[in-house]
Amino acid sequence: MRSVAAFTFEQFHNKKNIGSTKIRIKNLMKYWNELHLYKYGEKPDVMIFQKVYRSGETFRSAAYTLPGEMGVPSILDICDADWLGQGAITKACFITETARMVDAVVTSTEALAEFIRQLTDKPVLCIPDRFVIDDFPTIKHHTAPLKKAVWFGYSHNAELLRYAIPAIERHNLDFTIISNDDPRLPFEYDFKLWNNASAYDIIQQHDIAILPKGTRPQDRFKSNNRPVQSILCGVPVATTADEVERYETASERNKSVLPLWQLYRKEYDVRKSVDEYKDLI
């Protein structure tokens, strides 16, 4: 197998502990010896650009290694519609230009793949977000009535919880938010800073995860990685008030989560992503 280097969102933006880089690249590195983080000046056999785009600020700059400049087969790996929304990355994200300058595009959802196929005639493949299964604790067996609920994710997405506040308060739930920053929402909750070493154990201490679906333009492209992580912790996911009601009893939570837990341990094993990437290359 040829040398494969990944130039990641973390590296390009000089950040640490970015969820997309961990899921899309670092998880794969555990089972893919040829995959490594790009080092400036090297010329690998294949390049993966993880959420690294041509943009207004960098389009003509020689200070960056960008898609189309390496002279080797290259792949753009994306898991968000970064050209939508209000984030800083969206200010000048040339997605069409970037897609045309690589040899293939990999996305985390089929909806995102379908959109990108309208912009390029290059191969576009959906490889879902997957995980190192050994990172998860053993499945939780629920025994108590519904009392503790959790939401986790980046703080700018926590605004979706506003729609769930009535259900949270009606059930008098002890609520926890695990995130990179306190979103300062107008209801009582316990905030915990996300830490890769402890997050799954904290999630598992709860009876349900409340993860409302979004209606923002970018939300239809988003990965299901948070519901998958919750199920792999043995914690069922409620996206609506009716589903919160459904999971009031421990028996219903156990009945719901067990078949999904068994399925997800097979379908969302990151080794499947490694195989799919190798087939693409």
Side-chain angles (χ1 to χ4, degrees):
M1 183 66 186
R2 295 172 291 181
S3 169
V4 181
F7 191 28
T8 67
F9 183 93
E10 278 188 357
Q11 292 171 294
F12 186 79
H13 294 278
N14 194 27
K15 294 179 179 290
K16 295 182 179 180
N17 300 319
I18 298 298
S20 66
T21 295
K22 182 179 189 300
I23 293 172
R24 302 301 299 174
I25 299 298
K26 293 183 177 179
N27 280 353
L28 280 69
M29 289 171 61
K30 183 176 179 66
Y31 300 107
W32 191 357
N33 293 333
E34 294 81 9
L35 177 63
H36 60 278
L37 298 180
Y38 171 71
K39 295 180 180 179
Y40 185 74
E42 76 164 303
K43 192 164 184 177
D45 296 313
V46 179
M47 276 288 292
I48 298 173
F49 292 91
Q50 186 257 321
K51 278 169 60 89
V52 174
Y53 307 94
R54 291 273 183 175
S55 70
E57 291 83 2
T58 62
F59 189 73
R60 294 181 176 87
S61 172
Y64 298 90
T65 300
L66 294 168
E69 295 181 352
M70 289 295 293
V72 300
S74 58
I75 299 167
L76 173 65
D77 185 293
I78 54 177
C79 57
D80 292 297
D82 288 317
W83 51 95
L84 298 174
Q86 303 300 319
I89 194 174
T90 68
K91 291 180 179 177
C93 175
F94 293 175
I95 180 60
T96 303
E97 187 71 26
T98 307
R100 289 173 178 170
M101 287 188 166
V102 297
D103 298 287
V105 181
V106 170
T107 71
S108 58
T109 69
E110 189 56 41
L112 196 50
E114 290 175 0
F115 181 87
I116 298 299
R117 289 183 186 118
Q118 301 175 69
L119 310 179
T120 179
D121 59 357
K122 306 291 178 59
V124 180
L125 177 67
C126 173
I127 297 180
D129 288 344
R130 294 190 177 103
F131 303 92
V132 178
I133 298 301
D134 290 344
D135 287 349
F136 292 88
T138 57
I139 189 171
K140 174 176 182 171
H141 180 69
H142 295 262
T143 58
L146 176 61
K147 183 60 179 175
K148 300 174 69 177
V150 64
W151 179 94
F152 57 96
Y154 278 108
S155 59
H156 63 270
N157 290 318
E159 64 187 77
L160 300 176
L161 274 174
R162 293 179 183 272
Y163 304 110
I165 291 175
I168 294 168
E169 293 181 339
R170 184 166 60 252
H171 289 271
N172 194 29
L173 296 175
D174 295 335
F175 203 84
T176 301
I177 291 177
I178 313 172
S179 187
N180 61 307
D181 197 12
D182 187 346
R184 302 185 184 280
L185 294 176
F187 72 104
E188 186 175 345
Y189 60 87
D190 181 28
F191 170 73
K192 294 187 181 297
L193 190 67
W194 178 276
N195 183 298
N196 289 332
S198 61
Y200 293 153
D201 290 328
I202 296 172
I203 292 170
Q204 195 177 67
Q205 293 169 11
H206 296 78
D207 301 313
I208 60 171
I210 295 182
L211 303 174
K213 293 180 179 179
T215 58
R216 301 168 299 180
Q218 64 268 36
D219 287 330
R220 73 183 182 96
F221 299 113
K222 282 192 172 293
S223 162
N224 65 344
N225 68 67
R226 290 185 303 138
V228 169
Q229 289 174 88
S230 186
I231 293 296
L232 287 173
C233 290
V235 177
V237 175
T239 62
T240 66
D242 287 344
E243 289 178 346
V244 175
E245 299 271 358
R246 173 189 172 191
Y247 293 131
E248 283 188 331
T249 66
S251 60
E252 182 63 29
R253 296 197 297 274
N254 288 324
K255 183 174 72 173
S256 171
V257 80
L258 180 58
L260 290 176
W261 180 83
Q262 293 171 330
L263 175 66
Y264 287 5
R265 283 178 63 85
K266 297 177 182 178
E267 292 300 316
Y268 292 98
D269 187 325
V270 74
R271 284 172 285 196
K272 291 191 67 172
S273 296
V274 172
D275 291 341
E276 289 168 4
Y277 242 116
K278 288 181 177 180
D279 288 343
L280 174 63
I281 291 173

